[in-house]
Short mmCIF file of all heavy atoms in Angstrom, two decimals:
data_model
loop_
_atom_site.label_atom_id
_atom_site.label_comp_id
_atom_site.label_asym_id
_atom_site.label_seq_id
_atom_site.Cartn_x
_atom_site.Cartn_y
_atom_site.Cartn_z
N GLU A 17 -10.81 -15.27 10.52
CA GLU A 17 -10.81 -14.40 9.34
C GLU A 17 -11.59 -13.12 9.65
O GLU A 17 -12.72 -13.17 10.13
CB GLU A 17 -11.43 -15.12 8.15
CG GLU A 17 -10.58 -16.26 7.67
CD GLU A 17 -11.10 -16.91 6.41
OE1 GLU A 17 -12.22 -16.59 5.98
OE2 GLU A 17 -10.38 -17.74 5.86
N LEU A 18 -10.95 -12.00 9.36
CA LEU A 18 -11.56 -10.69 9.58
C LEU A 18 -11.51 -9.91 8.28
O LEU A 18 -10.62 -10.11 7.46
CB LEU A 18 -10.79 -9.92 10.65
CG LEU A 18 -10.65 -10.61 12.00
CD1 LEU A 18 -9.66 -9.85 12.87
CD2 LEU A 18 -12.00 -10.73 12.68
N VAL A 19 -12.44 -8.99 8.10
CA VAL A 19 -12.43 -8.12 6.94
C VAL A 19 -11.89 -6.76 7.38
O VAL A 19 -12.47 -6.10 8.23
CB VAL A 19 -13.84 -7.96 6.33
CG1 VAL A 19 -13.82 -6.99 5.16
CG2 VAL A 19 -14.39 -9.32 5.89
N ALA A 20 -10.75 -6.40 6.79
CA ALA A 20 -10.14 -5.10 7.08
C ALA A 20 -10.65 -4.09 6.06
O ALA A 20 -10.57 -4.33 4.86
CB ALA A 20 -8.62 -5.21 7.01
N VAL A 21 -11.16 -2.99 6.54
CA VAL A 21 -11.68 -1.93 5.67
C VAL A 21 -10.66 -0.80 5.65
O VAL A 21 -10.26 -0.29 6.68
CB VAL A 21 -13.04 -1.41 6.18
CG1 VAL A 21 -13.57 -0.30 5.27
CG2 VAL A 21 -14.04 -2.55 6.28
N ARG A 22 -10.25 -0.45 4.47
CA ARG A 22 -9.27 0.62 4.29
C ARG A 22 -9.99 1.96 4.21
O ARG A 22 -10.80 2.17 3.33
CB ARG A 22 -8.47 0.39 3.01
CG ARG A 22 -7.78 -0.93 2.99
CD ARG A 22 -7.16 -1.15 1.64
NE ARG A 22 -6.62 -2.49 1.56
CZ ARG A 22 -6.26 -3.06 0.44
NH1 ARG A 22 -6.36 -2.43 -0.70
NH2 ARG A 22 -5.77 -4.27 0.45
N ASN A 23 -9.64 2.88 5.07
CA ASN A 23 -10.23 4.21 5.03
C ASN A 23 -9.21 5.20 4.47
O ASN A 23 -8.12 4.84 4.06
CB ASN A 23 -10.73 4.62 6.41
CG ASN A 23 -9.63 4.60 7.45
OD1 ASN A 23 -8.45 4.69 7.12
ND2 ASN A 23 -10.02 4.48 8.70
N ALA A 24 -9.54 6.48 4.49
CA ALA A 24 -8.66 7.51 3.93
C ALA A 24 -7.33 7.58 4.68
O ALA A 24 -6.27 7.77 4.08
CB ALA A 24 -9.36 8.86 3.96
N LYS A 25 -7.36 7.41 5.99
CA LYS A 25 -6.13 7.45 6.78
C LYS A 25 -5.21 6.28 6.39
O LYS A 25 -4.01 6.44 6.26
CB LYS A 25 -6.48 7.38 8.27
CG LYS A 25 -5.31 7.55 9.19
CD LYS A 25 -5.78 7.55 10.64
CE LYS A 25 -4.62 7.71 11.58
NZ LYS A 25 -5.06 7.71 12.98
N TRP A 26 -5.80 5.12 6.19
CA TRP A 26 -5.02 3.96 5.76
C TRP A 26 -4.39 4.21 4.40
O TRP A 26 -3.22 3.90 4.18
CB TRP A 26 -5.90 2.71 5.69
CG TRP A 26 -5.15 1.51 5.27
CD1 TRP A 26 -4.54 0.60 6.08
CD2 TRP A 26 -4.87 1.10 3.93
NE1 TRP A 26 -3.91 -0.35 5.33
CE2 TRP A 26 -4.10 -0.07 4.00
CE3 TRP A 26 -5.20 1.58 2.67
CZ2 TRP A 26 -3.66 -0.75 2.88
CZ3 TRP A 26 -4.75 0.92 1.55
CH2 TRP A 26 -3.99 -0.23 1.66
N ALA A 27 -5.17 4.77 3.46
CA ALA A 27 -4.66 5.02 2.11
C ALA A 27 -3.45 5.96 2.14
O ALA A 27 -2.47 5.74 1.42
CB ALA A 27 -5.77 5.60 1.23
N LYS A 28 -3.51 7.00 2.96
CA LYS A 28 -2.39 7.93 3.06
C LYS A 28 -1.15 7.22 3.60
O LYS A 28 -0.05 7.36 3.07
CB LYS A 28 -2.77 9.11 3.97
CG LYS A 28 -1.69 10.14 4.11
CD LYS A 28 -2.14 11.29 5.00
CE LYS A 28 -1.01 12.29 5.19
NZ LYS A 28 -1.40 13.36 6.11
N ALA A 29 -1.32 6.43 4.67
CA ALA A 29 -0.19 5.70 5.25
C ALA A 29 0.37 4.68 4.26
O ALA A 29 1.59 4.51 4.16
CB ALA A 29 -0.62 5.01 6.53
N TRP A 30 -0.50 4.02 3.49
CA TRP A 30 -0.06 3.03 2.50
C TRP A 30 0.78 3.69 1.42
O TRP A 30 1.83 3.18 1.04
CB TRP A 30 -1.28 2.34 1.91
CG TRP A 30 -0.99 1.37 0.82
CD1 TRP A 30 -1.32 1.49 -0.50
CD2 TRP A 30 -0.29 0.12 0.92
NE1 TRP A 30 -0.89 0.41 -1.21
CE2 TRP A 30 -0.26 -0.45 -0.37
CE3 TRP A 30 0.30 -0.56 1.97
CZ2 TRP A 30 0.35 -1.68 -0.61
CZ3 TRP A 30 0.90 -1.78 1.71
CH2 TRP A 30 0.92 -2.32 0.44
N LYS A 31 0.36 4.84 0.92
CA LYS A 31 1.12 5.53 -0.12
C LYS A 31 2.48 5.99 0.40
O LYS A 31 3.48 5.91 -0.30
CB LYS A 31 0.30 6.69 -0.69
CG LYS A 31 -0.84 6.19 -1.55
CD LYS A 31 -1.68 7.29 -2.11
CE LYS A 31 -2.83 6.69 -2.88
NZ LYS A 31 -3.74 7.66 -3.39
N GLN A 32 2.53 6.46 1.64
CA GLN A 32 3.81 6.86 2.23
C GLN A 32 4.73 5.65 2.36
O GLN A 32 5.92 5.73 2.07
CB GLN A 32 3.59 7.49 3.61
CG GLN A 32 2.98 8.85 3.56
CD GLN A 32 2.64 9.38 4.94
OE1 GLN A 32 2.63 8.65 5.92
NE2 GLN A 32 2.34 10.68 5.01
N HIS A 33 4.17 4.53 2.76
CA HIS A 33 4.97 3.30 2.89
C HIS A 33 5.48 2.85 1.53
O HIS A 33 6.65 2.43 1.41
CB HIS A 33 4.11 2.21 3.54
CG HIS A 33 4.83 0.92 3.74
ND1 HIS A 33 5.90 0.79 4.61
CD2 HIS A 33 4.66 -0.29 3.17
CE1 HIS A 33 6.33 -0.46 4.57
NE2 HIS A 33 5.60 -1.13 3.71
N LEU A 34 4.66 2.93 0.50
CA LEU A 34 5.11 2.54 -0.85
C LEU A 34 6.24 3.43 -1.35
O LEU A 34 7.19 2.94 -1.96
CB LEU A 34 3.93 2.58 -1.83
CG LEU A 34 2.97 1.42 -1.75
CD1 LEU A 34 1.83 1.62 -2.74
CD2 LEU A 34 3.66 0.10 -1.99
N ARG A 35 6.13 4.73 -1.09
CA ARG A 35 7.22 5.63 -1.48
C ARG A 35 8.51 5.24 -0.78
O ARG A 35 9.58 5.22 -1.39
CB ARG A 35 6.85 7.09 -1.15
CG ARG A 35 5.89 7.70 -2.16
CD ARG A 35 5.82 9.22 -2.02
NE ARG A 35 5.28 9.64 -0.75
CZ ARG A 35 3.99 9.84 -0.51
NH1 ARG A 35 3.11 9.66 -1.46
NH2 ARG A 35 3.59 10.24 0.68
N TRP A 36 8.42 4.91 0.50
CA TRP A 36 9.58 4.48 1.27
C TRP A 36 10.18 3.20 0.67
O TRP A 36 11.38 3.09 0.51
CB TRP A 36 9.15 4.26 2.72
CG TRP A 36 10.26 3.86 3.64
CD1 TRP A 36 11.12 4.68 4.30
CD2 TRP A 36 10.62 2.53 4.01
NE1 TRP A 36 12.00 3.94 5.07
CE2 TRP A 36 11.71 2.61 4.90
CE3 TRP A 36 10.12 1.28 3.68
CZ2 TRP A 36 12.29 1.48 5.45
CZ3 TRP A 36 10.71 0.16 4.24
CH2 TRP A 36 11.80 0.28 5.10
N LEU A 37 9.32 2.24 0.32
CA LEU A 37 9.79 0.99 -0.29
C LEU A 37 10.45 1.23 -1.64
O LEU A 37 11.48 0.64 -1.96
CB LEU A 37 8.63 0.01 -0.44
CG LEU A 37 8.07 -0.62 0.83
CD1 LEU A 37 6.83 -1.44 0.51
CD2 LEU A 37 9.12 -1.48 1.51
N ARG A 38 9.83 2.10 -2.46
CA ARG A 38 10.40 2.38 -3.79
C ARG A 38 11.76 3.04 -3.70
O ARG A 38 12.65 2.75 -4.49
CB ARG A 38 9.43 3.25 -4.59
CG ARG A 38 8.31 2.46 -5.17
CD ARG A 38 7.58 3.25 -6.24
NE ARG A 38 6.22 2.77 -6.26
CZ ARG A 38 5.21 3.35 -5.65
NH1 ARG A 38 5.35 4.47 -5.02
NH2 ARG A 38 4.01 2.81 -5.71
N ARG A 39 11.93 3.96 -2.75
CA ARG A 39 13.24 4.62 -2.58
C ARG A 39 14.33 3.61 -2.27
O ARG A 39 15.48 3.81 -2.61
CB ARG A 39 13.16 5.67 -1.47
CG ARG A 39 12.51 6.96 -1.91
CD ARG A 39 12.72 8.06 -0.88
NE ARG A 39 12.16 7.66 0.41
CZ ARG A 39 11.09 8.20 0.97
NH1 ARG A 39 10.46 9.16 0.36
NH2 ARG A 39 10.66 7.78 2.14
N ARG A 40 13.97 2.54 -1.63
CA ARG A 40 14.93 1.49 -1.28
C ARG A 40 14.97 0.36 -2.31
O ARG A 40 15.65 -0.63 -2.11
CB ARG A 40 14.60 0.92 0.10
CG ARG A 40 15.04 1.89 1.19
CD ARG A 40 14.20 1.76 2.44
NE ARG A 40 14.55 2.77 3.43
CZ ARG A 40 14.15 4.02 3.40
NH1 ARG A 40 13.39 4.44 2.42
NH2 ARG A 40 14.50 4.88 4.35
N GLY A 41 14.19 0.51 -3.39
CA GLY A 41 14.18 -0.49 -4.45
C GLY A 41 13.48 -1.79 -4.06
O GLY A 41 13.74 -2.83 -4.66
N LEU A 42 12.59 -1.72 -3.09
CA LEU A 42 11.91 -2.92 -2.61
C LEU A 42 10.53 -3.12 -3.21
O LEU A 42 9.90 -4.15 -2.99
CB LEU A 42 11.79 -2.87 -1.08
CG LEU A 42 13.12 -2.78 -0.33
CD1 LEU A 42 12.87 -2.57 1.15
CD2 LEU A 42 13.93 -4.04 -0.57
N ALA A 43 10.02 -2.15 -3.96
CA ALA A 43 8.69 -2.27 -4.57
C ALA A 43 8.70 -1.57 -5.91
O ALA A 43 9.42 -0.60 -6.12
CB ALA A 43 7.64 -1.65 -3.66
N ASP A 44 7.90 -2.10 -6.81
CA ASP A 44 7.69 -1.42 -8.09
C ASP A 44 6.20 -1.42 -8.38
O ASP A 44 5.43 -2.10 -7.72
CB ASP A 44 8.48 -2.09 -9.22
CG ASP A 44 8.19 -3.57 -9.32
OD1 ASP A 44 7.58 -4.12 -8.40
OD2 ASP A 44 8.58 -4.17 -10.31
N GLY A 45 5.76 -0.68 -9.34
CA GLY A 45 4.34 -0.55 -9.64
C GLY A 45 3.74 0.61 -8.86
O GLY A 45 4.33 1.11 -7.91
N SER A 46 2.57 1.01 -9.28
CA SER A 46 1.92 2.15 -8.63
C SER A 46 1.13 1.68 -7.41
O SER A 46 0.81 0.50 -7.26
CB SER A 46 0.98 2.84 -9.61
OG SER A 46 -0.12 2.00 -9.90
N ALA A 47 0.78 2.60 -6.57
CA ALA A 47 -0.02 2.28 -5.40
C ALA A 47 -1.37 1.73 -5.82
O ALA A 47 -1.91 0.84 -5.18
CB ALA A 47 -0.20 3.54 -4.54
N GLU A 48 -1.93 2.25 -6.91
CA GLU A 48 -3.23 1.79 -7.38
C GLU A 48 -3.15 0.33 -7.80
O GLU A 48 -4.06 -0.44 -7.54
CB GLU A 48 -3.73 2.65 -8.54
CG GLU A 48 -4.10 4.08 -8.14
CD GLU A 48 -2.88 4.99 -7.92
OE1 GLU A 48 -1.80 4.71 -8.48
OE2 GLU A 48 -3.01 5.96 -7.18
N ASP A 49 -2.06 -0.07 -8.47
CA ASP A 49 -1.90 -1.47 -8.87
C ASP A 49 -1.86 -2.37 -7.66
O ASP A 49 -2.47 -3.43 -7.63
CB ASP A 49 -0.61 -1.67 -9.69
CG ASP A 49 -0.67 -1.00 -11.04
OD1 ASP A 49 -1.79 -0.70 -11.51
OD2 ASP A 49 0.40 -0.77 -11.63
N LEU A 50 -1.11 -1.98 -6.64
CA LEU A 50 -0.98 -2.81 -5.46
C LEU A 50 -2.27 -2.81 -4.64
O LEU A 50 -2.60 -3.80 -4.01
CB LEU A 50 0.19 -2.33 -4.60
CG LEU A 50 1.56 -2.53 -5.25
CD1 LEU A 50 2.63 -1.85 -4.42
CD2 LEU A 50 1.89 -4.00 -5.43
N ASP A 51 -3.02 -1.71 -4.66
CA ASP A 51 -4.28 -1.65 -3.94
C ASP A 51 -5.30 -2.63 -4.50
O ASP A 51 -6.13 -3.15 -3.78
CB ASP A 51 -4.88 -0.24 -3.99
CG ASP A 51 -4.20 0.71 -3.03
OD1 ASP A 51 -3.50 0.22 -2.14
OD2 ASP A 51 -4.37 1.92 -3.19
N LYS A 52 -5.27 -2.86 -5.81
CA LYS A 52 -6.27 -3.72 -6.44
C LYS A 52 -6.03 -5.19 -6.18
O LYS A 52 -6.90 -6.01 -6.41
CB LYS A 52 -6.30 -3.46 -7.95
CG LYS A 52 -6.87 -2.09 -8.27
CD LYS A 52 -6.91 -1.84 -9.74
CE LYS A 52 -7.43 -0.44 -10.02
NZ LYS A 52 -7.46 -0.12 -11.41
N LYS A 53 -4.86 -5.54 -5.70
CA LYS A 53 -4.56 -6.94 -5.43
C LYS A 53 -5.14 -7.33 -4.08
O LYS A 53 -4.69 -6.87 -3.05
CB LYS A 53 -3.05 -7.18 -5.46
CG LYS A 53 -2.46 -6.96 -6.83
CD LYS A 53 -0.98 -7.18 -6.81
CE LYS A 53 -0.40 -6.86 -8.19
NZ LYS A 53 1.06 -6.92 -8.19
N THR A 54 -6.16 -8.16 -4.10
CA THR A 54 -6.79 -8.64 -2.88
C THR A 54 -6.19 -9.99 -2.53
O THR A 54 -6.18 -10.88 -3.35
CB THR A 54 -8.31 -8.77 -3.07
OG1 THR A 54 -8.83 -7.51 -3.46
CG2 THR A 54 -8.98 -9.23 -1.79
N PRO A 55 -5.67 -10.15 -1.33
CA PRO A 55 -5.06 -11.42 -0.96
C PRO A 55 -6.05 -12.57 -1.04
O PRO A 55 -7.21 -12.42 -0.67
CB PRO A 55 -4.61 -11.22 0.48
CG PRO A 55 -4.70 -9.77 0.74
CD PRO A 55 -5.64 -9.18 -0.26
N ASP A 56 -5.61 -13.72 -1.51
CA ASP A 56 -6.42 -14.93 -1.55
C ASP A 56 -6.18 -15.69 -0.26
O ASP A 56 -5.08 -16.15 0.00
CB ASP A 56 -6.03 -15.78 -2.76
CG ASP A 56 -6.83 -17.06 -2.83
OD1 ASP A 56 -7.81 -17.19 -2.07
OD2 ASP A 56 -6.47 -17.93 -3.65
#
């Protein structure tokens, strides 16, 4: 188990990836909603 720390570069890449997913209808919700979900 490792702790991944998201920095500003990660946030930019994540938002670009979410836009790509939304254009293809593969994701819904805002980036902020998905960011708050911490995997169990």
Side-chain angles (χ1 to χ4, degrees):
E17 292 185 351
L18 304 170
V19 177
V21 180
R22 302 173 187 166
N23 58 22
K25 186 177 180 180
W26 180 93
K28 182 179 177 183
W30 176 247
K31 288 179 183 176
Q32 288 174 346
H33 181 66
L34 283 178
R35 282 194 296 270
W36 182 86
L37 288 173
R38 281 195 208 98
R39 282 192 301 250
R40 284 152 185 79
L42 300 173
D44 54 348
S46 69
E48 291 77 24
D49 292 341
L50 293 172
D51 282 344
K52 291 180 182 178
K53 295 179 183 174
T54 302
D56 179 11

